[in-house]
Amino acid sequence: MQKQPTIRDVAQAAGVSVAVVSRVLNPGSGPVAAATRGRVNDVMKNLGYHPRTAARELKYGPPTTLGLLLADVSNPFFARLADQVVQEAHSRGIQVLLMTTQEDDQLESERLATLIERRVSGIIATPTGNNLAIWKQLQDLGTEVVFVDRSIPSLPEVDVVSIDNFESARSATAMLAAHGHRRIGIISGPASSTTGRDRIAGYRQALETAGLEQDELLIRHAAFRGPAGGDAASALLSIEEPPTALVVANTAQVTEVLRRLSHAGIDIPGTLSVIVFEDSPWTELVTPALTIVRQPIDLLARHSVQLALSNTQGKTSGKPSVIRVAAELVERSSVARLQLAK
Amino acid sequence: MQKQPTIRDVAQAAGVSVAVVSRVLNPGSGPVAAATRGRVNDVMKNLGYHPRTAARELKYGPPTTLGLLLADVSNPFFARLADQVVQEAHSRGIQVLLMTTQEDDQLESERLATLIERRVSGIIATPTGNNLAIWKQLQDLGTEVVFVDRSIPSLPEVDVVSIDNFESARSATAMLAAHGHRRIGIISGPASSTTGRDRIAGYRQALETAGLEQDELLIRHAAFRGPAGGDAASALLSIEEPPTALVVANTAQVTEVLRRLSHAGIDIPGTLSVIVFEDSPWTELVTPALTIVRQPIDLLARHSVQLALSNTQGKTSGKPSVIRVAAELVERSSVARLQLAK
DNA sequence: ACATAAAAGTGTACCGGTTCCACTTATGTT
DNA sequence: AACATAAGTGGAACCGGTACACTTTTATGT
């Protein structure tokens, strides 16, 4: 373990001043003779010198780090989002600090505290919905905050990137109705989440347009974590007049719900048609192949990173950006066409 | 966007010197009167002061950041590894910088360069297999390097955490043999990877013990990315005497292989028995439920983080640690018991 | 040959914390 | 009452880069 060489070591070894070395390090910051530049570069290589980011950041906290705050990364949706965000950030020379909250307010606030101390230039997050004061503070501090997939209504001045939840749920439900289903159930995220609420709203709209009765028993909210999804599925199946079709609109709970249905021996789509909000390769592998609402994760990532970095460019425009990307309905085999008993 | 208060602002507002504020910030670094401490804390809260990590790190680069360098995070195996690593690190107050290489040497070297500049205290990585010089340099610099899931034989002095690939492949193959299969195929990682080679070796060992003929046609290597897995599956099925059982030992390619089998209309386990190295919830949802080799990802994560942080404790012991954790065989329904035509 | 401008290079303050050392005041001992 | 000791606090150097203001060297024009 060697002692790390500093810029002064390099300067001395190359017989120049530290200012010159700094210029070599930051092309364009001042003139350096070609010969000198070569000599300095050689010395740096020989000494194994690497400028220290911490020292650099001290002068002007440069936008070289981005915080990515997700519920958890074992969820394939978030995993793929993380992957895309990291790639997108790297392509711009930005590093990503990954943190997870487990949907826990307390953990979220701790993570945010460390992000503040690190003076990250931007944060891309799926907020739990609390910690309002901290989010506000972050914005006051000049940190660019972008909520992805969800938002917090009481924080209207934060940028948001998500799919069009209302429209996605509406079209999924409308498709089921068009296939002759009259009792359509939905399992969505918690009522406290905008995602959950918007999807329910889209669902209602579709029912209304189709002239179908709305039954509150068919609407279930499930927490993002834990066994809630499975319980909701069981509950839906045990009501007096069970649904013939189900929209699983809580991405985090998709596998949980399907496992419960499978264990209950429900025939899909014979007994129950299913459409899920999820886009992983495996949805095509199960039998029957699942009809899905595909989230364009790459677009979510691209827009999020762009917004999170936008303050650098000087987006002084005040107005928060709200970007909604369209989700795509991919029909496969888990939805049955019913005979209309009219 | 306020101007960020510094420690000097706090000191002035509280009517004390910066040294005192620093002591309040770092309990145990020196005596502070209770009254003063309270006053300083109040001022910090009022001013919204947060100490800046970059400045702190400048003095002694403290082990507060860890680099996690993976191929990609969209792969569920890596995603869950990332999730566990992040949780494990957070529980120790460490942050994780996530980077991906896409299995690309060039990208890997760039990522490593930035990790060097950041002076991270440790790196947990799935190495591509190249960039030997950089890995060496990192170790010389005192960075704790831990390879997870794979290793590089020509870098024997690096810590490694992985499952016991040899034993896992051996027991999986042995199980198939015990079920009466005589033509057993295997799709493993590239021959250049230790993972791939070890699994093949375990497979061979099992065949030998079972007294089965080894046919090179039944052994396929597939790159971690791209369509290689699917092609390998197709190739296996089109040989003269195709296998009746298949070990899919390339975690990254599992879905690719299964998709190809499914599209080819192969009956599992009727025509082909399948056992896969994978442990995601969905393996239970497909029909038939897959028999799997489960990787204890939480253990991999825990050990990796521990090793990556061990240099702090002063593990001057020289010898690199090699930790192999056992994988678990979970029998479900994708393996058929054959009549022995003896 | 000389004025003059451009290029190359240097010295040093600064970023925001941490920490060593010196100093003052309170407490305890005999 | 005299003095040793400890608690509380302040001053300033330092970490490793960056950049401004300034000096020295080299190139250009007539």
Side-chain angles (χ1 to χ4, degrees), chain A residues 181-217:
Chain A
H181 292 275
R182 307 202 59 234
R183 298 282 294 170
I184 302 174
I186 184 168
I187 297 176
S188 186
S192 60
S193 72
T194 50
T195 312
R197 279 206 308 280
D198 290 352
R199 290 178 184 176
I200 296 286
Y203 161 86
R204 287 187 195 278
Q205 164 86 59
L207 291 189
E208 193 171 323
T209 305
L212 295 179
E213 178 200 10
Q214 296 193 22
D215 182 346
E216 296 306 317
L217 282 177

Side-chain angles (χ1 to χ4, degrees), chain B residues 25-54:
Chain B
L25 246 28
N26 307 55
S29 63
V32 183
T36 312
R37 182 190 320 283
R39 190 151 37 93
V40 171
N41 276 322
D42 288 349
V43 170
M44 294 199 295
K45 191 154 295 174
N46 290 340
L47 261 51
Y49 169 76
H50 291 272
R52 218 168 125 171
T53 309

Side-chain angles (χ1 to χ4, degrees), chain B residues 279-294:
Chain B
D279 172 30
S280 291
W282 65 263
T283 53
E284 202 182 346
L285 295 175
V286 298
T287 311
L290 298 174
T291 293
I292 63 170
V293 174
R294 166 175 292 159

Side-chain angles (χ1 to χ4, degrees), chain B residues 111-258:
Chain B
R111 305 295 170 259
L112 288 177
T114 66
L115 286 174
I116 289 179
E117 296 184 358
R118 297 237 170 199
R119 301 291 194 275
V120 295
S121 51
I123 299 181
I124 297 175
T126 54
T128 63
N130 293 67
N131 297 314
L132 297 189
I134 307 186
W135 289 117
K136 280 227 183 67
Q137 186 189 7
L138 270 164
Q139 292 214 112
D140 291 344
L141 255 36
T143 309
E144 191 69 18
V145 177
V146 180
F147 289 159
V148 64
D149 184 53
R150 318 173 183 171
S151 64
I152 301 182
S154 42
L155 286 176
E157 58 289 330
V158 176
D159 294 342
V160 179
V161 178
S162 78
I163 64 164
D164 189 333
N165 288 302
F166 178 90
E167 175 55 24
S168 310
R170 195 203 57 73
S171 65
T173 310
M175 193 266 274
L176 293 173
H179 279 37
H181 292 276
R182 307 203 60 234
R183 298 282 294 168
I184 303 174
I186 184 169
I187 297 177
S188 186
S192 60
S193 72
T194 50
T195 311
R197 279 207 307 280
D198 290 352
R199 291 178 183 176
I200 296 286
Y203 160 86
R204 287 188 195 278
Q205 164 84 58
L207 291 190
E208 194 171 322
T209 305
L212 296 178
E213 178 198 13
Q214 297 192 23
D215 182 346
E216 297 305 317
L217 283 177
L218 291 174
I219 299 178
R220 302 283 163 167
H221 291 281
F224 291 124
R225 326 201 90 223
D231 296 345
S234 301
L236 269 177
L237 292 171
S238 63
I239 66 177
E240 195 162 340
E241 198 182 346
T244 62
L246 178 59
V247 182
V248 184
N250 183 340
T251 313
Q253 292 277 5
V254 167
T255 52
E256 202 57 41
V257 172
L258 291 179

Side-chain angles (χ1 to χ4, degrees), chain A residues 140-217:
Chain A
D140 291 344
L141 255 36
T143 309
E144 191 69 18
V145 177
V146 180
F147 289 158
V148 64
D149 184 53
R150 319 174 183 171
S151 63
I152 301 182
S154 43
L155 286 177
E157 58 289 329
V158 177
D159 294 342
V160 178
V161 178
S162 77
I163 65 165
D164 189 333
N165 288 303
F166 179 91
E167 174 57 22
S168 309
R170 195 203 57 72
S171 66
T173 311
M175 192 267 273
L176 292 173
H179 280 38
H181 292 275
R182 307 202 59 234
R183 298 282 294 170
I184 302 174
I186 184 168
I187 297 176
S188 186
S192 60
S193 72
T194 50
T195 312
R197 279 206 308 280
D198 290 352
R199 290 178 184 176
I200 296 286
Y203 161 86
R204 287 187 195 278
Q205 164 86 59
L207 291 189
E208 193 171 323
T209 305
L212 295 179
E213 178 200 10
Q214 296 193 22
D215 182 346
E216 296 306 317
L217 282 177

Side-chain angles (χ1 to χ4, degrees), chain A residues 168-290:
Chain A
S168 309
R170 195 203 57 72
S171 66
T173 311
M175 192 267 273
L176 292 173
H179 280 38
H181 292 275
R182 307 202 59 234
R183 298 282 294 170
I184 302 174
I186 184 168
I187 297 176
S188 186
S192 60
S193 72
T194 50
T195 312
R197 279 206 308 280
D198 290 352
R199 290 178 184 176
I200 296 286
Y203 161 86
R204 287 187 195 278
Q205 164 86 59
L207 291 189
E208 193 171 323
T209 305
L212 295 179
E213 178 200 10
Q214 296 193 22
D215 182 346
E216 296 306 317
L217 282 177
L218 291 174
I219 300 178
R220 302 283 163 166
H221 290 282
F224 291 124
R225 328 201 89 222
D231 296 345
S234 301
L236 270 177
L237 292 172
S238 63
I239 66 177
E240 194 160 343
E241 198 181 346
T244 62
L246 177 60
V247 182
V248 184
N250 181 339
T251 313
Q253 293 277 3
V254 167
T255 52
E256 203 57 40
V257 171
L258 292 178
R259 171 175 298 119
R260 196 67 72 100
L261 293 179
S262 151
H263 281 183
I266 304 294
D267 175 34
I268 300 174
T271 308
L272 185 68
S273 290
V274 170
I275 181 168
V276 303
F277 277 63
E278 170 68 276
D279 172 30
S280 291
W282 64 262
T283 52
E284 202 182 345
L285 295 175
V286 297
T287 311
L290 298 174

